[in-house]
């Protein structure tokens, strides 16, 4: 599978945002009461297809081209801890929407993860070379959003309880075989926070993007995810 070298429409805007200060708030994602994944019309036609996995160097090139920093952390746990210090969950699988746990998902391919240059977003990309394997990662994220939204999983950050509300959103991405979106609002230590996340699959590649900055994540997370999707 080849990598496009031309950035899509909107890329210049996001690059400027990531190399400078974070941008203004965009429209909030539209929440849906139950649906968590969507498939493009091409999904059925490609369901049984697999393709060659990308190499580490190819994925690293994708990251740098979209103003994300590759090869900075050894594990996805370290990536998450760098942005959310001390964040833990009683059920670690509840962190699947962040791409945590994808480390062994691409034994014959490549895995890359890192933060945006302004550290307002994290991204994990797994190139598995297998449609079913990549689809399983999306399914794990969808399952986690369902199971962990009811409060049974205890989240803490630096020992402080984290109270959260989870909403699923309808992605507006193009060119994906599967996608799901979510928005988490909550409080920790008396302070409020908002997270916006998108997980998408393109053939044998899966990408998870999460943004924490409430002034920009509703706009930048969809832009960044679309750029990764277009490059895969």
């Amino acid at each position: 599978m080849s990598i496009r070298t031309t950035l899509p429409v909107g890329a210049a805007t996001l690059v400027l945002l990531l190399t400078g200060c974070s941008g203004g708030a965009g429209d909030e994602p539209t929440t849906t009461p139950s649906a968590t994944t969507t498939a493009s019309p091409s999904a059925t036609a490609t369901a049984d297809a697999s393709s060659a996995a990308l190499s580490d160097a190819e994925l690293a090139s994708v990251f740098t081209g979209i103003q994300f920093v590759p090869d900075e952390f050894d594990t996805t746990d370290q990536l998450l801890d760098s942005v959310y210090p001390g964040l833990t969950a009683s059920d670690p699988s509840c962190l699947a929407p962040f791409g945590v746990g994808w480390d062994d998902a691409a034994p014959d391919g490549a895995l890359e993860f890192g933060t945006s240059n302004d550290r307002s977003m994290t991204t994990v990309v797994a190139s598995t070379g297998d449609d079913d394997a990549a689809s399983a990662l999306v399914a794990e994220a969808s399952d986690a959003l369902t199971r962990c939204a009811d409060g049974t999983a205890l989240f803490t950050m630096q020992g402080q309880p984290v109270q959260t509300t989870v909403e699923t959103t309808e992605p507006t991405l193009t060119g994906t075989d599967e996608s799901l979106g979510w928005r988490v609002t909550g409080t920790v230590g008396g302070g409020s926070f908002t997270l916006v996340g998108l997980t998408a699959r393109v053939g044998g590649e899966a990408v998870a993007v999460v943004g924490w900055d409430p002034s920009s994540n509703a706009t930048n997370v969809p832009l960044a995810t679309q750029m990764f999707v277009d490059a895969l």
Side-chain angles (χ1 to χ4, degrees), residues 178-191:
E178 295 178 87
S179 63
L180 65 90
W182 52 272
R183 185 174 184 268
V184 171
T185 56
T187 59
V188 58

Side-chain angles (χ1 to χ4, degrees), residues 4-70:
R4 300 182 187 177
T5 56
T6 302
L7 294 179
V9 175
T13 302
L14 181 60
V15 167
L16 289 175
L17 290 171
L18 296 183
T19 55
C21 60
S22 57
D27 295 335
E28 293 295 333
T30 302
T31 60
T32 57
S34 58
T36 56
T37 62
T38 59
S40 69
S42 63
T44 301
T46 60
D48 297 326
S50 295
S51 56
L54 301 177
S55 68
D56 291 328
E58 287 174 319
L59 274 188
S61 178
V62 170
F63 270 66
T64 56
I66 308 176
Q67 301 296 322
F68 277 71
V69 183

Side-chain angles (χ1 to χ4, degrees), residues 2 11 21 34 39 76 103 109 124 128 220 227:
S2 61
C21 60
S34 58
T76 54
D103 304 76
V124 180
T128 69
N220 286 358
M227 292 169 70

Side-chain angles (χ1 to χ4, degrees), residues 26-213:
D27 295 335
E28 293 295 333
T30 302
T31 60
T32 57
S34 58
T36 56
T37 62
T38 59
S40 69
S42 63
T44 301
T46 60
D48 297 326
S50 295
S51 56
L54 301 177
S55 68
D56 291 328
E58 287 174 319
L59 274 188
S61 178
V62 170
F63 270 66
T64 56
I66 308 176
Q67 301 296 322
F68 277 71
V69 183
D71 303 320
E72 187 176 6
F73 305 100
D74 293 330
T75 66
T76 54
D77 290 302
Q78 289 181 8
L79 166 67
L80 195 67
D81 193 59
S82 75
V83 179
Y84 314 103
L87 177 64
T88 62
S90 59
D91 181 354
S93 69
C94 288
L95 299 175
F98 291 84
V100 172
W102 288 16
D103 304 76
D104 298 322
D108 299 320
L111 182 77
E112 191 60 79
F113 41 88
T115 67
S116 56
N117 281 0
D118 66 355
R119 292 185 57 78
S120 69
M121 290 180 283
T122 61
T123 294
V124 180
V125 178
S127 180
T128 69
D130 181 83
D131 290 15
D132 290 339
S135 185
L137 297 178
V138 178
E140 288 172 5
S142 179
D143 177 66
L145 290 172
T146 301
R147 288 186 300 101
C148 305
D150 61 5
T152 56
L154 176 63
F155 291 92
T156 62
M157 181 175 288
Q158 296 181 343
Q160 295 291 320
V162 180
Q163 304 297 324
T164 61
T165 299
V166 180
E167 301 170 289
T168 59
T169 63
E170 187 70 30
T172 58
L173 303 172
T174 61
T176 62
D177 293 305
E178 295 178 87
S179 63
L180 65 90
W182 52 272
R183 185 174 184 268
V184 171
T185 56
T187 59
V188 58
S192 61
F193 65 90
T194 301
L195 302 177
V196 173
L198 284 172
T199 304
R201 177 178 73 84
V202 181
E205 276 76 52
V207 54
V209 181
V210 180
W212 61 264
D213 186 349

